[in-house]
Amino acid sequence: MQKPFPSTILYGADYNPEQWPESVWQEDMRLMKVARVNIVTINVFSWALLELAPDEYTFGQLDRIMEMLAEHGIAADLATATATPPTWMSRMYPDMWPVTRDGKRLSYGSRQHYCPNSHDYRRKAGALVRRLAERYREHPALAMWHVNNEYGDHVKACYCDGCAVAFRRWLMARYTWLPELNDAWSTSFWSQRYFDWEDVMPPRLTPAGNNPGQMLDYQRFMSDSLLECYRLEANVLREVTPAIPITTNFIVAFKPVDYFSWARHIDVISFDLYPRNTTPPWENAFRHDLMRSLKNGQPHLVMEQTPGQLNWMEQNPHKRPGRIRLQSLQAVAHGADGVLYFQWRQSQGGAEKFHSAIVPHEGSERGRIFRQAAQPGAELERIAPDVVGSRIRAEVAIVMDWHNWWAVEYLPGPSDRLRYLEQVKRWYAALHGLNVAIDIVAPEHDLSQYRVVIAPLLYMLKAGVAQNLERYVTAGGTLLTTFFSGIVDEHDRVTLGGYPGELRKLLGIYVEEFDPWTEGMSNEVIIADEPLRGKYACDLWGEVVHLEGARALGVFARDYYAHGPALTVNRSGEGRAYYVATQVSDELASKLARMLCQQAGVELLMEVAEGVEVTRRARSDGRKVYFILNHNDSPAPVTLPQGRFTSLLDGLDFSEQLVIAGRDALILLEK
Amino acid sequence: MQKPFPSTILYGADYNPEQWPESVWQEDMRLMKVARVNIVTINVFSWALLELAPDEYTFGQLDRIMEMLAEHGIAADLATATATPPTWMSRMYPDMWPVTRDGKRLSYGSRQHYCPNSHDYRRKAGALVRRLAERYREHPALAMWHVNNEYGDHVKACYCDGCAVAFRRWLMARYTWLPELNDAWSTSFWSQRYFDWEDVMPPRLTPAGNNPGQMLDYQRFMSDSLLECYRLEANVLREVTPAIPITTNFIVAFKPVDYFSWARHIDVISFDLYPRNTTPPWENAFRHDLMRSLKNGQPHLVMEQTPGQLNWMEQNPHKRPGRIRLQSLQAVAHGADGVLYFQWRQSQGGAEKFHSAIVPHEGSERGRIFRQAAQPGAELERIAPDVVGSRIRAEVAIVMDWHNWWAVEYLPGPSDRLRYLEQVKRWYAALHGLNVAIDIVAPEHDLSQYRVVIAPLLYMLKAGVAQNLERYVTAGGTLLTTFFSGIVDEHDRVTLGGYPGELRKLLGIYVEEFDPWTEGMSNEVIIADEPLRGKYACDLWGEVVHLEGARALGVFARDYYAHGPALTVNRSGEGRAYYVATQVSDELASKLARMLCQQAGVELLMEVAEGVEVTRRARSDGRKVYFILNHNDSPAPVTLPQGRFTSLLDGLDFSEQLVIAGRDALILLEK
Amino acid sequence: MQKPFPSTILYGADYNPEQWPESVWQEDMRLMKVARVNIVTINVFSWALLELAPDEYTFGQLDRIMEMLAEHGIAADLATATATPPTWMSRMYPDMWPVTRDGKRLSYGSRQHYCPNSHDYRRKAGALVRRLAERYREHPALAMWHVNNEYGDHVKACYCDGCAVAFRRWLMARYTWLPELNDAWSTSFWSQRYFDWEDVMPPRLTPAGNNPGQMLDYQRFMSDSLLECYRLEANVLREVTPAIPITTNFIVAFKPVDYFSWARHIDVISFDLYPRNTTPPWENAFRHDLMRSLKNGQPHLVMEQTPGQLNWMEQNPHKRPGRIRLQSLQAVAHGADGVLYFQWRQSQGGAEKFHSAIVPHEGSERGRIFRQAAQPGAELERIAPDVVGSRIRAEVAIVMDWHNWWAVEYLPGPSDRLRYLEQVKRWYAALHGLNVAIDIVAPEHDLSQYRVVIAPLLYMLKAGVAQNLERYVTAGGTLLTTFFSGIVDEHDRVTLGGYPGELRKLLGIYVEEFDPWTEGMSNEVIIADEPLRGKYACDLWGEVVHLEGARALGVFARDYYAHGPALTVNRSGEGRAYYVATQVSDELASKLARMLCQQAGVELLMEVAEGVEVTRRARSDGRKVYFILNHNDSPAPVTLPQGRFTSLLDGLDFSEQLVIAGRDALILLEK
């Protein structure tokens, strides 16, 4: 297969020279050198420039772009250009037009206007990719394939008649015969039974709530449909250029697409990182940790981030000075081996002309934005030799499951305030504050490498998941799960016999009632024993819990289940299983996370002030690289672990105590 | 016709055994006995299980269910199963699909996906009902027919081409010739004249506001279309099983369907009672009083209430302990002779799996929900012999009119803050606080039995209504009506010559201007004389009122109509007609209600603390049963009327003073 | 061409006798005389009454109406009745039905239900207009043609297939060949290139943001489409009745229609004036000044205002006493020579029956509304001989540009808080407070007559606009423009090389970054020198400004561009160009406006208390008429300019000092 990739820290941007006269290209090359760019993503939106009419291809301009890059030693992340079909193609093939759930056909003239199940779209996309692969297979600039762009971003699902046919085919493969589908979807309810595959429809607009099983399978089907589009392209590329790694840019924790199921088909995980100015640093960290975990710690890439202001938020203030540098270094601190921007040169027209770029409308390298984009370019070049090849090793994991996400957020009750990702992120934030390395894993993932696993709101237990968790705990692991877990099977059918279903024994509890609170309702958790002793606010959800072997660490303070368990622990085999029956305050979540890590012997990297983030990458030679990022505006003292360290950014030596400036970063290699 | 029904207090639930293996059914029978269930509603969503293909019926499972019920002495409220057509039927007959006002076709896969004017729907529904009636006509379990389910709940109106044809036919019957329709709809306005019946359309999406006459008639037409569906089924049932009473479950004060016009076609009024946890007790009382009044005091049924949490609110907290029992007893206190739950056993899958049931997912009778559902079962069984046959007798009535509701809430101005039902309920609440019995009647109803009648916001006076009110007052009645009354005729055309039109003489006033206030605007009503002497807040609406025979009891405090009448009374014949020209505070409404009742000699049942509700049912032997319900959490003292009483729940005797516990109920039979 | 119009001050109303039996008409004539009505607008919604079937016309009723008006000496503003096609016509010609952006067809049964590009609509409208013109060409009542009604009010844009064809034709005329369109729309972005005119579509619903160039041109195209409808009618009328002036009623500052481009095709500008009760007086003044400026100061008309409550706001309180008179006199004070109401007699039915009218539902002249409508009728009759023919002369202008409006409010970023009209109105308000006469002009307008020109938020500079502004300043003018100006050309493509593009030299600044603030963000402007010395709040927007010749008058107080220029001035030739880099507080805007006017030698009419408005009309004999309007509830002292004055309303003489009552008006003629 392909050689290890990348061999240095990648630094670059989306580059759209087709928007500019060729006279500008040479200036681009000069400026890229100034900014230390070593890779650019090209050809993302070029289908209309490559195929002018059915099967009438023209590659002259792309040839010149590839030549120029090769000449200047800049690698090409070559996009397959399939993300947006040309206007003539949309008009020629009406089956390409996506249809919304309420029956509206989406027109072209924007982007991503294709139905992922359109035969014509797939045929034409495949043909284009083959041409590209064959033409540039030996090109020296070709470093990576960039398939399509942000799958599913705008067309999260299509409900056209072609999708109805494809959905039936997908269901036949999944259920073999119709009674099984009727059973999975509980169609004895509301007279919904199917007698013929032809009767099955996408979950279009209906008078009342749609069948939850049908909704869930449709989300699975649409994620798989997009994956089929990806694989169709990837298969061509692997056939023609087996040595070239393949990526497609993800949209982070993006609900419509189950990235866990995609990851094994992708060589290099890359994603687009677009925080708001108000996004807390731990949330970016979460995004990196998720992306890195998709391929078990293999380095990922930031495929897009903005060098200045965005254009798609309600208001788009500029990034304040220093932020972009810190954001870039944080990527590497969390295991990324590359950071690219969207985009190189700011567009003069079109729907993104007010999205900032490294080269602004003004056109020179003199401004703040260019300079602050160029700085990490130089820094990453400097640290690359000491960092590339090193890996993050996590002892703590958070379970995340797209199927659970889909199910929990299309529930007929009990609460529209349940946001799965928010629950996952709450516990991530609690752990992140401890400066431990964290993986984000699927519930069926082998958990044996972790000391602590937190699986928030695990409403749906797919087949085998309960056993996986049990195996993990009995072997000595520490598990924490939360309210409304273990409720349903993978078809969103309730596990009968008492909540939390298959987890009842492992957790040693029986939940008689769950009580989703309205906006004004709340309660408190009272804990008698150290280290958690105290009274803590909780909200969102309460439960009537009975102990069946577990011990109550905390109880509810009020309401008809006052004195009932709110926080329990159950010993099982060599391990412990915790259950939190409500949404606890950040304070209690943090304390709990710390207690679990300490009990389980998880290494906390450093004790630092709030707002200072510490990560560690381990090299194959055993030496460690510490990343210390001060997200505060003011300086902070740092106590280093024992030993002596070299600062990779400036070559200075450090040990014991130091002070890190506000909005600054230190990258320290163990001596 | 049929024998008196019911002969005891009904207690039961919706029962959907088709969702469960037959092995569970026997356990259901056992548990029903524990809970004192004597009736279940079955077959509501079974069409897909009964008709597997066009005219291919199968009744085996239903036979077994009916047999089992008969064996266990549980009555069947047998549903006609027409509320949700099978999937194959929807696909086969595209004219069944409802269409929204803006042209969206609603798909199947949920429930109630039929256009009420679909010929195919009606033909297939009629055929099924005939089969059911003929098959079970002699069945010992058959106690009542349950036609369809919650008519109009999800498809409040359909705008398909079939409905357009039916609407024209309905209009032809109503108006005979087109000039009459043009006149009724005021089509000389905005160039809207019709020259051909074929030009008339449902009020679909238009560039500006729709014609109000067309909108109003379309609401009448849709209510009638649903009624035609009901009558089509009822006619078959009456023909085949003339002795079996017929019901269909109403949705309480449900705007799309004019229940007054339906009631005479129905044998037993039943309805679904789904208050929020925050719904005040008087609002449930209002619902019962409306349902009871539909057939002049004949006992009604609660067809559905929830034993615990709901699933269709934004958040669905559990019902707090004691609530369900109190809610069940309140039903009987207001004249109901039966309380059923939705549903018996909680579904494992589908769109309502988180709607609670008497038997929870856990499956046993051990939990709180089962026990609190079983308690009123036993209690109702105990009191039934002393209560069945007794009736509520009201001396006070509130006028409510669906046509007025439709008209007032599709107005081109003057205020979008006018909510008709809210106005009706405000005055209901004021009266309810006095613990008097209240009927809710249509404006054309014979009012001679009442001492006080309140007709809030009677914007529309249908033909004869003004005369009915006049007749009532001149014969000695006390009438109160409020702002913006008497404005239009039944076609929503203004009665010229000065507001309040046909009520001008009866009320002795002329309203020169009405002034709908914006959110921030308010005023005060100043009253000089006792018992109302004082200054009271008012909001929503003001008027410039001139006296034409009436006397001003209260005047506005501010604005350009300061010192102008705000509350007037006019003597007319033997009675009095009051007018309130604004929305007065709850305090003034309560005082007014009390003053009117006292002046008119209405009997106030008991003086009790706030939150304690008292009602009375009179038996044919003249003895009275008092229901005392303490909706407060804390105990309250109660002073009984003269005489001695037996408590039907526990057999104890009471007289003079007693204390009722928090959230408790007393049912006292006069000795 | 036509004779000067009007020769007196017009006073009247929309009159719809077709809604009433003819027996009411004579009473109308009597009451019109009481109210001093001298003109009525008739026939606006009469198409259905004039054309009963294809080409079957009937004019009997209209003949009788015209006769009656002529008999009573009341002029007819005769509408062409094309604003709402008859029902049969809509059914017969499906191409007439408008289609929304998301594909919904709009039905008839309301009003304005036609696509402006429908061939059938245009053909039928033209035929009707020719019949009307030929029939009434010599009629003595005919005083003015009133084409259609409120163009674009409800159908702001249509997206049907007919519009697609017309759009392509419009584009071919604009761009000649396709590469030019591709260039203008920047279609190299997002693969949007067009290869065939047939591929171009209206900007219908798409998965992501539409192409901004396409959106902008579609707004131009729709404004032009409506103008074509108008011109089609106007051409017929000019051909048949060349002496009769033509108007159509505008909707004030109405975004969909570029009134600057319409004005030269219209003889008399008229518009509908519907302020809320909370609309400040200066906003009405703005509306008049815009309308008057459309034809360079030629008198305009208020075609519709309400005599009392409206019906289309959420809530519609009555107009408080005195308001309507003041509003009517304010119209004349700002250059109008006529005020008409909607409508004469309040409709009994239909969608506007709760819109007040001069004659209310009660039907007599006794009420407040009639009387307060009649009062200005008498007053305008009295002042007319001294006022007609006089003109407003402005030394100050505000630039407003519909194309800029369209562009700025369909931006892909940077802020959804940018409301162009709001920015224009903020600066209007600042100037209005000084009691100077203000014109509202297009950016390409000859500016040489003005001493001060303010061009807020001039994001788009169409070809020649920058040169026009430069010419104006270098010749001695004072220009002020604000943040985010000079950014793009007329195709919404960024002017490269540094903001503010073509204005960079004139303003002497370079804007490196613009920073659109989120809701919570703000800053302050610090000014060191008099007369502005102080610290002022600012919000919405900040910028990083570099001086290139300009001088910084004010700087930002905080954030990373603290001490950077916030307010600059640049001398250029004989004049000065100011730039405001943020949205300053009302206080600073007012002070700035005053400073500019004083520096430039603009005459401030009078110094009066806040809430008192002063305007001046100059007669051809050189004498001036002052309008002093006290919008406060309390009296205010006024110091007159030198000289002696006659009050036209009551004939009294004044000089030096006087006191004006609350909500009163004085109209003073120089002796």
Side-chain angles (χ1 to χ4, degrees), chain A residues 208-366:
Chain A
N210 290 74
N211 180 299
Q214 184 186 12
M215 289 294 278
L216 178 61
D217 273 347
Y218 207 75
Q219 296 203 268
R220 287 169 171 145
F221 159 69
M222 284 307 315
S223 178
D224 285 356
S225 298
L226 291 167
L227 179 54
E228 275 183 38
C229 289
Y230 167 81
R231 294 190 62 195
L232 174 138
E233 296 194 28
N235 289 345
V236 173
L237 297 172
R238 284 200 209 294
E239 180 197 326
V240 182
T241 60
I244 301 297
I246 303 176
T247 194
T248 184
N249 51 333
F250 284 164
I251 317 177
V252 177
F254 182 62
K255 190 175 163 188
V257 181
D258 174 10
Y259 291 146
F260 282 129
S261 73
W262 284 51
R264 65 195 154 105
H265 305 289
I266 293 173
D267 298 323
V268 177
I269 299 293
S270 70
F271 81 111
D272 299 345
L273 177 64
Y274 287 116
R276 294 177 172 259
N277 283 358
T278 52
T279 304
W282 64 257
E283 193 159 339
N284 285 341
F286 168 76
R287 295 167 183 185
H288 289 297
D289 288 355
L290 171 58
M291 289 297 120
R292 186 196 65 236
S293 301
L294 289 179
K295 287 191 89 76
N296 296 310
Q298 179 189 310
H300 63 291
L301 301 179
V302 174
M303 182 55 80
E304 299 182 13
Q305 69 177 6
T306 185
Q309 66 190 151
L310 291 168
N311 77 314
W312 46 260
M313 297 189 301
E314 304 77 33
Q315 301 93 37
N316 298 274
H318 255 288
K319 300 285 173 190
R320 268 46 196 162
R323 290 257 190 178
I324 291 299
R325 175 187 174 239
L326 211 56
Q327 181 175 310
S328 301
L329 296 177
Q330 188 189 27
V332 181
H334 280 271
D337 272 5
V339 182
L340 286 77
Y341 292 91
F342 181 87
Q343 62 178 336
W344 172 253
R345 183 179 282 275
Q346 193 162 359
S347 303
Q348 190 184 5
E352 290 186 337
K353 63 176 168 289
F354 292 120
H355 192 297
S356 65
I358 298 176
V359 181
H361 286 139
E362 183 262 345
S364 84
E365 73 263 46
R366 284 183 297 274

Side-chain angles (χ1 to χ4, degrees), chain A residues 360 362-364 367, chain C residues 497-500 504 507-513 544-548:
Chain A
E362 183 262 345
S364 84
Chain C
Y499 318 125
R504 188 166 169 179
L507 296 169
I509 55 168
Y510 159 51
V511 176
E512 185 183 343
E513 298 179 14
V544 177
V545 179
H546 301 279
L547 300 175
E548 294 183 339

Side-chain angles (χ1 to χ4, degrees), chain A residues 512, chain B residues 11 30-36 307 344 357-360 364-376:
Chain A
E512 185 183 340
Chain B
Y11 199 68
R30 184 184 73 78
L31 290 170
M32 283 186 194
K33 289 299 171 189
V34 174
R36 302 296 212 283
W344 172 252
I358 298 176
V359 180
S364 84
E365 72 263 48
R366 283 184 298 273
R368 176 177 75 95
I369 300 306
F370 185 95
R371 283 181 284 116
Q372 83 175 18
Q375 183 184 357

Side-chain angles (χ1 to χ4, degrees), chain A residues 102-104 168 185-196 198-212 214 410-417 459 484 487-489 491-499 504 510 512-519 521 544 559-561, chain B residues 18-20 45-49 51-53 81 84-88 91 97-98 100 104-114 154-155 277 309-321 342-343 346-355 360-363 366-369 371:
Chain A
D102 61 350
K104 293 181 198 135
R168 283 175 210 131
W185 288 6
S186 303
T187 59
S188 61
F189 179 82
W190 278 2
S191 192
Q192 294 174 346
R193 184 163 159 195
Y194 294 97
F195 298 88
D196 190 316
E198 289 302 304
D199 293 334
V200 183
M201 299 283 268
R204 292 176 179 161
L205 207 64
T206 50
N210 290 74
N211 180 299
Q214 184 186 12
Y410 184 77
L411 280 184
S415 174
D416 66 354
R417 294 169 74 199
Y459 164 76
F484 204 46
I487 305 296
V488 297
D489 68 11
H491 299 300
D492 200 24
R493 289 176 311 199
V494 172
T495 302
L496 299 174
Y499 318 124
R504 187 167 170 178
Y510 159 51
E512 185 183 340
E513 300 178 13
F514 49 76
D515 188 34
W517 296 335
T518 54
E519 206 68 45
M521 296 171 76
V544 176
D559 215 328
Y560 71 94
Y561 39 93
Chain B
E18 68 278 5
Q19 295 176 17
W20 299 94
F45 292 103
S46 299
W47 199 343
L49 307 172
E51 189 173 0
L52 310 181
T84 299
T87 52
W88 61 260
R91 189 163 69 101
W97 298 41
T100 64
K104 293 181 197 135
R105 284 182 82 211
L106 299 182
S107 183
Y108 58 92
S110 170
R111 71 177 203 177
Q112 211 179 75
H113 36 256
Y114 62 86
H154 307 295
V155 180
N277 283 0
Q309 65 191 151
L310 292 168
N311 79 314
W312 46 261
M313 296 189 303
E314 304 76 34
Q315 302 93 37
N316 298 273
H318 254 288
K319 299 285 172 190
R320 268 46 199 163
F342 181 87
Q343 62 176 335
Q346 193 162 0
S347 304
Q348 191 184 6
E352 290 186 337
K353 63 177 169 290
F354 292 120
H355 192 296
H361 286 139
E362 183 262 346
R366 283 184 298 273
R368 176 177 75 95
I369 300 306
R371 283 181 284 116

